[in-house]
């Protein structure tokens, strides 16, 4: 039944195919010749299948596991260099009519205060985020058609893009809202969104229906086929993800890769990003209630295997994870992280009320400046770049550049220039000193020629206070 080109969820996420994949993985995981052949294929930097990824995930030979981690790191450096993209979530409303048992926003929760930001409050939140140094946001809202209709989301996007603070603005708004119809996706695209993001939560249909007993989200197929409708509506950058710990990680790994294969087969472009949150504490939610919650080492290996399987796809880890865990994940696959995050409605302007409406507890509580300095001190370039989105390099246009290896000609200079912007406008003296040193070192990695000359010229203009060269 497995048919990656089918628009029907039960065919591109085929339960029988997942079970067969996991059975094969159990049988072949320590077949040294098979694992080495998969790694040899992966080294060609074109990805591997969900079945091959399942075998790598189950492999427990220490030497082969080290090869898996080494290859994941090599692939990460090949496509992303030492760049790490930074963003922040912006929670607009926690009103929700769904019954998701793992989320404190579920409709039956009577302990969490409900709140929805006005456009004036959104303006204030955005100003606070810009003053931190952010250029890229991911907006979040509970599913409530009456309180959070599409018109509210569209008005909020317009407000966000309109804000100017100290000569700076938000340049890219990604949207993480409930599954909707094709016409609504067209309207979101017309509003100028970056990536449309929706987490599957779990690909195990039986478990999905248990975890989503009520509300529109309880419709497994409507939710799972959302990315197809988004693509049909013109949203050609889509971000998928699962909440690891809701079901068995082996099943989820196979499912999310089958979803990626489906998008590639049907639309010619896979997911722009994959997010990998884990279940964590929040209001009336405890990870102890979820027996499939992941230990750190399994989680780290998942990231490595995903990076090998989908080398062109951005991978995101949020402040759900501790600073220590996020550091461990950077070298084996992660390319985007949030920083200075608040996971509550109005959390950037009403800090004292943050925990009252938080969707989940933040583990990495460092400020954005502290995160930036940490990245710099570990040899990474913190990037606030949004150039591909602003220049129309989305969907298959972005992926064609990425697969050709030419994307770094855009990404590295733009990352350096947006870092310079941050250092000039927002950084502490300590962070500025470390950042200027890394910029000088990173310029050496750009080949001599027009791109390097232009980068140096623009760095000088940024230092003089000029901004926004379409990056």
């Amino acid at each position: 039944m497995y048919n990656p080109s089918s628009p029907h969820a039960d065919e591109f996420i085929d339960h029988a195919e997942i079970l067969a994949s996991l059975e094969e993985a159990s049988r072949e995981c320590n077949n040294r010749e098979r694992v080495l052949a998969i790694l040899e294929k992966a080294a060609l930097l074109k990805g591997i299948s969900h079945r091959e990824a399942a075998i790598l995930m189950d492999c427990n030979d220490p030497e082969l596991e080290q090869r898996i981690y080494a290859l994941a790191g090599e692939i990460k450096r090949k496509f992303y260099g030492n760049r790490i993209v930074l963003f922040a979530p912006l929670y607009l409303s926690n009103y929700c009519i769904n019954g998701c048992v793992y989320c404190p926003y579920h409709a039956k929760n009577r302990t969490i205060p409900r709140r929805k930001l006005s456009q004036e409050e959104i303006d204030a939140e955005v100003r606070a985020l810009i003053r931190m140094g952010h250029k890229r946001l991911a907006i979040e809202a509970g599913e409530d058609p009456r309180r959070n209709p599409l018109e509210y989301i569209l008005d909020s996007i317009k407000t966000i893009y309109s804000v100017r603070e100290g000569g700076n603005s938000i340049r890219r708004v990604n949207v993480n809202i409930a599954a909707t119809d094709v016409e609504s996706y067209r309207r979101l695209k017309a509003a100028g969104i970056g990536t449309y993001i929706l987490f599957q939560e779990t690909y195990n249909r039986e478990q999905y229906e248990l975890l989503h007993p009520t509300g529109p989200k309880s419709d497994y197929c409507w939710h799972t086929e959302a990315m197809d409708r988004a693509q049909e509506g013109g949203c050609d950058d889509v971000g998928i993800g699962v909440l690891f710990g809701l079901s068995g990680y082996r099943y989820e790994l196979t499912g999310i890769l089958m979803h990626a294969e489906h998008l590639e087969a049907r639309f010619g472009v896979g997911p722009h990003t994959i997010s990998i949150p884990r279940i964590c504490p929040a209001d009336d939610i405890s990870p102890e209630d979820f027996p499939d919650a992941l230990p750190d080492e399994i989680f780290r290996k998942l990231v490595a295997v995903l990076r090998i399987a989908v080398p062109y796809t951005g991978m995101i880890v949020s402040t759900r994870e501790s600073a220590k865990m996020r550091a461990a994940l950077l070298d084996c696959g992660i390319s985007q992280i949030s920083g200075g995050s608040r996971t509550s409605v109005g959390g950037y302007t009403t800090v004292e009320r943050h925990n009252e409406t938080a969707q989940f507890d933040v583990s990495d509580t460092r400020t954005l400046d502290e995160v930036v300095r940490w990245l710099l001190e570990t040899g990474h370039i913190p990037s606030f770049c949004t150039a591909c989105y602003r220049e129309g390099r989305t969907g298959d246009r972005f992926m064609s550049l990425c697969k050709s290896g030419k994307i770094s000609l855009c990404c590295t200079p733009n990352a350096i220039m947006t870092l310079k912007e941050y250092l000039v406008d927002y950084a502490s003296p300590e962070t500025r000193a470390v950042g200027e040193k890394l910029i000088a070192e990173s310029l050496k990695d750009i080949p001599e020629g027009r791109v390097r000359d232009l980068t140096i010229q623009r760095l000088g203009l940024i230092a003089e206070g000029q901004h926004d060269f379409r990056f």
Side-chain angles (χ1 to χ4, degrees):
M1 183 180 178
Y2 175 55
N3 181 1
S5 298
S6 172
H8 303 295
D10 286 335
E11 294 185 32
F12 65 80
I13 305 295
D14 178 14
H15 178 66
E17 169 61 19
I18 293 179
L19 295 183
S21 299
L22 299 185
E23 182 182 351
E24 180 183 6
S26 295
R27 189 173 62 249
E28 293 290 311
C29 62
N30 290 311
N31 178 335
R32 186 177 178 83
E33 289 186 5
R34 180 76 185 277
V35 172
L36 288 174
I38 294 170
L39 292 175
E40 185 176 347
K41 175 184 175 181
L44 299 176
L45 308 178
K46 297 183 184 299
I48 57 176
S49 71
H50 63 271
R51 287 205 171 204
E52 292 165 331
I55 291 171
L56 294 187
M57 191 67 226
D58 275 6
C59 175
N60 56 21
D61 180 298
E63 181 200 342
L64 293 177
E65 282 191 313
Q66 287 308 307
R67 292 196 183 196
I68 289 170
Y69 284 117
L71 180 57
E74 180 183 333
I75 291 171
K76 160 75 185 303
R77 290 186 291 275
K78 170 69 176 179
F79 286 99
Y80 297 95
N82 60 342
R83 303 181 306 277
I84 299 293
V85 172
L86 288 162
F87 73 97
L90 174 59
Y91 283 75
L92 303 180
S93 172
N94 64 355
Y95 284 101
C96 191
I97 61 172
N98 288 312
C100 314
V101 303
Y102 51 85
C103 176
Y105 291 177
H106 65 87
K108 291 184 179 180
N109 187 352
R110 298 292 182 260
T111 65
I112 193 169
R114 300 291 175 171
R115 190 177 178 199
K116 171 186 172 181
L117 297 181
S118 67
Q119 296 306 312
E120 291 75 18
E121 289 171 322
I122 292 171
D123 183 292
E125 288 277 291
V126 172
R127 290 183 188 280
L129 283 157
I130 294 173
R131 287 194 294 270
M132 291 167 61
H134 279 295
K135 299 290 190 295
R136 177 191 299 239
L137 301 183
I139 61 174
E140 320 260 354
E143 183 168 11
D144 188 327
R146 182 170 66 86
R147 292 184 178 91
N148 310 328
L150 181 65
E151 286 70 21
Y152 171 68
I153 302 299
L154 295 173
D155 287 345
S156 300
I157 294 169
K158 184 176 181 181
T159 295
I160 293 167
Y161 279 137
S162 72
V163 175
R164 297 291 183 272
E165 178 73 15
N168 288 302
S169 62
I170 297 301
R171 298 172 179 167
R172 178 176 178 131
V173 178
N174 297 334
V175 175
N176 185 353
I177 61 170
T180 187
D181 55 46
V182 173
E183 180 55 30
S184 296
Y185 288 121
R186 289 196 183 101
R187 296 179 66 189
L188 286 167
K189 181 66 175 180
I193 73 166
T195 304
Y196 172 69
I197 302 164
L198 186 68
F199 297 168
Q200 181 59 29
E201 316 298 6
T202 175
Y203 284 96
N204 185 320
R205 181 168 186 164
E206 181 179 356
Q207 187 71 354
Y208 182 97
E209 291 173 350
L210 287 173
L211 293 166
H212 304 90
T214 59
K217 195 171 177 177
S218 63
D219 187 332
Y220 173 86
C221 289
W222 174 257
H223 189 82
T224 310
E225 294 163 8
M227 293 308 179
D228 290 60
R229 297 191 300 276
Q231 288 277 5
E232 291 165 12
C235 297
D236 52 358
D237 277 356
V238 297
I240 62 177
V242 294
L243 182 52
F244 284 104
L246 297 183
S247 189
Y249 68 87
R250 300 168 70 244
Y251 194 104
E252 305 293 21
L253 171 68
T254 310
I256 202 168
L257 290 176
M258 289 169 73
H259 201 170
E261 290 167 0
H262 161 69
L263 293 171
E264 182 79 42
R266 187 166 185 224
F267 300 103
V269 57
H272 188 71
T273 58
I274 289 179
S275 297
I276 50 164
R278 281 191 289 181
I279 194 75
C280 70
D283 196 64
D284 65 342
I285 307 299
S286 171
E288 294 176 2
D289 296 331
F290 297 89
D292 290 311
L294 288 189
D296 288 351
E297 195 50 47
I298 292 293
F299 188 54
R300 180 170 172 259
K301 188 174 179 182
L302 266 170
V303 171
V305 172
L306 279 168
R307 172 48 64 218
I308 290 170
V310 284
Y312 317 121
T313 298
M315 289 178 61
I316 301 173
V317 67
S318 75
T319 51
R320 282 177 182 262
E321 297 299 331
S322 67
K324 180 180 179 181
M325 193 67 213
R326 299 216 296 174
L329 298 178
L330 290 184
D331 292 333
C332 61
I334 294 300
S335 59
Q336 295 188 27
I337 63 172
S338 50
S341 301
R342 295 284 176 176
T343 62
S344 56
V345 181
Y348 297 104
T349 52
T350 55
V351 176
E352 70 280 358
R353 296 179 56 190
H354 167 61
N355 289 329
E356 293 183 5
T357 61
Q359 188 186 35
F360 59 86
D361 290 353
V362 170
S363 295
D364 187 348
T365 59
R366 293 174 295 180
T367 66
L368 179 60
D369 192 73
E370 289 170 334
V371 170
V372 168
R373 187 161 66 250
W374 159 63
L375 290 172
L376 291 167
E377 289 172 346
T378 55
H380 295 91
I381 304 175
S383 175
F384 298 88
C385 178
T386 61
C388 286
Y389 156 72
R390 286 148 65 84
E391 293 295 334
R393 292 190 293 267
T394 60
D396 57 358
R397 293 173 295 286
F398 171 83
M399 283 298 176
S400 63
L401 274 174
C402 190
K403 292 177 181 179
S404 70
K406 296 179 181 178
I407 194 67
S408 62
L409 297 176
C410 303
C411 292
T412 299
N414 285 331
I416 291 171
M417 288 186 282
T418 58
L419 171 59
K420 181 71 172 183
E421 277 190 324
Y422 177 83
L423 297 177
V424 169
D425 292 339
Y426 305 107
S428 64
E430 296 83 2
T431 299
R432 188 175 298 118
V434 180
E436 293 290 0
K437 181 179 179 181
L438 186 66
I439 286 176
E441 294 172 353
S442 299
L443 283 171
K444 300 174 185 177
D445 296 330
I446 302 176
E448 290 190 9
R450 181 176 178 275
V451 172
R452 188 170 186 272
D453 292 343
L454 188 60
T455 301
I456 293 172
Q457 177 191 27
R458 287 181 173 177
L459 287 172
L461 293 173
I462 293 167
E464 295 172 3
Q466 297 189 42
H467 291 69
D468 203 9
F469 299 101
R470 303 299 293 175
F471 44 69

